[in-house]
Each structure stands twice: as structure tokens, then as C-alpha cells.
Amino acid sequence: MAARILHQDQEILILDKPAGLAVHPGPRGGPSLSDWLPALQQGRRHLPQPAHRLDMDTSGCLALGRTKPAIAALNRLFAEGRTRKTYWAVLIAPPPAEEGVCEAALLKRSSKEAGWRMFVDPAGLPARTEWRVIGRDGAATAVELTPRTGRTHQLRLHMSHLGCPIRGDGFYGGGEGRLQLLARTLILPLEPERRATAPIPDHMREALARCGVS
């Protein structure tokens, strides 16, 4: 995991989280980032702690605090929506315009039979995503997504709601295969400012290249 550090200082780590690794342990067990925290501690007093979540199948920038004040500061930034995040995604169909905004409230529902998932529902929490087309080929469209809120599965469900699910998102209509979603950049407005850019993962490289994105 040390090889995936994008930024490191005395207070903050930013990792390139690999797809397929959960941030926190789940009820069914399996590997998670928590397993790697002792190695990332690097002899310091406290274990680094993630300040936000990425879906297990999403790769890219993940911020961790290395001290209690840094963890508190990061938690405030994310809670107040002051971080600046962009994602790259490959969609199975074009969005309705070259750029735009999706504002659709999201609600979590669960059942014993089907488990939980998110739905667009006016009774849910407000959610806003901005999108911009950055490339395309005949079979797919590459977009840059900027979430202005941080709801669970927000980007995945908003793209599905617009009729253009993210490729590989079997939950929300994107078909089989690996999820084509990358947390590309993260900017933390601290003093000094921290920023990082995650590399394109191998499972997205070919599709993005066909769309003219590299």
C-alpha cells in the first residue's frame, strides 16, 4: 500500500485506493483498508484514519488523517462540503448534453430479501452532481463528474437516473464487468492546501483511451 501513496506529510496521507478494496470492514468480512493501517502508521503515535469513503469498486484518491487534529480538520471539511473532488467515469450511453447538473434526492431502502440500495426519491436527502463530457467513441462516453454533495452511490445513481449508467455498475444498470469509476482528483483547502491526482487504473485504461482520454 505504501507504493500507492499520492501525497504524504506530517498530518495527511492521500492514497490511490485500489478497486475491490473496502474502506471499512463489512459485515461479511473480507479485506479492507483497515488491514493496511498499521503499515501506513510508519511508527507514528496514531493509526491514520480515513476521513471519507469510496465504494469498494471505486479506485482513486482517499484522504487519511495522521494526527487527531488533522482527522478532526478533515472531518469538518468533508462534513461541510468544502473539499473539491472530481471523478472520471465511462458511461454505457451518452448523457443528455455535453455538460449539465443532476439534482435528484437519494433515499436508502433495504429489505431482508434484496439487501439495501439507493433510489431517487423526493423524500430522500438532496444530492447534486455536475457532469462534463471529456471524450467519446461509438460505444461509450467518458465524463468528468463533480459531486457537490456526498451521498452514498450518488454518482452511480445520478448517471443511471439520466439514462447513462456507469459501465460495470451492475447495481444500477451498467452491466457486467468492473466498475469504470475513478476518484481522479482531490483538493483539500487546508493550510497549506493539499492536492493529489490518481493515475488511471488498468481496468479503465483501454476504455478511456478509446474515448480519447489519457
Side-chain angles (χ1 to χ4, degrees):
M1 192 61 69
R4 303 186 74 93
I5 295 174
L6 302 172
H7 169 87
Q8 177 176 335
D9 58 45
Q10 294 298 309
E11 299 176 313
I12 305 291
L13 286 174
I14 303 178
L15 293 180
D16 174 20
K17 186 193 82 67
L21 183 68
V23 174
H24 299 290
R28 298 180 182 176
S32 73
L33 182 63
S34 297
D35 301 326
W36 296 92
L37 295 182
L40 294 170
Q41 189 175 359
Q42 300 174 344
R44 299 179 66 86
R45 182 178 180 183
H46 299 290
L47 286 175
Q49 295 297 320
H52 58 121
R53 299 179 70 116
L54 291 177
D55 291 346
M56 182 173 71
D57 294 324
T58 301
S59 62
C61 295
L62 181 75
L64 299 91
R66 306 186 74 192
T67 66
K68 287 186 176 181
I71 293 168
L74 287 172
N75 287 339
R76 284 195 299 272
L77 286 182
F78 282 95
E80 295 168 3
R82 293 194 287 125
T83 60
R84 299 197 292 279
K85 299 176 284 185
T86 60
Y87 291 71
W88 283 3
V90 179
L91 311 179
I92 66 171
E98 289 299 299
E99 60 182 45
V101 177
C102 181
E103 290 189 276
L106 304 181
L107 181 67
K108 183 177 182 179
R109 296 178 186 157
S110 61
S111 68
K112 185 177 181 180
E113 297 77 19
W116 69 269
R117 69 176 55 195
M118 303 298 293
F119 293 85
V120 170
D121 191 312
L125 295 171
R128 177 185 173 98
T129 301
E130 299 169 5
W131 85 82
R132 179 174 68 89
V133 173
I134 57 175
R136 64 175 79 242
D137 75 353
T141 302
V143 292
E144 181 179 87
L145 305 173
T146 303
R148 297 303 183 187
T149 51
R151 310 304 180 200
T152 300
H153 290 185
Q154 175 177 320
L155 301 181
R156 297 164 59 182
L157 190 49
H158 273 178
M159 291 302 98
S160 179
H161 181 63
L162 293 173
C164 48
I166 297 173
R167 179 180 286 182
D169 187 358
F171 246 37
Y172 302 111
E176 298 180 354
R178 301 184 70 181
L179 182 67
Q180 304 277 291
L181 179 62
L182 168 67
R184 175 65 169 172
T185 65
L186 176 63
I187 300 174
L188 304 172
L190 299 167
E191 184 57 48
E193 180 179 271
R194 278 77 156 188
R195 62 174 62 211
T197 299
I200 297 171
D202 290 343
H203 70 280
M204 292 181 63
R205 193 176 307 280
E206 180 180 353
L208 286 171
R210 288 181 177 177
C211 292
V213 179
S214 59

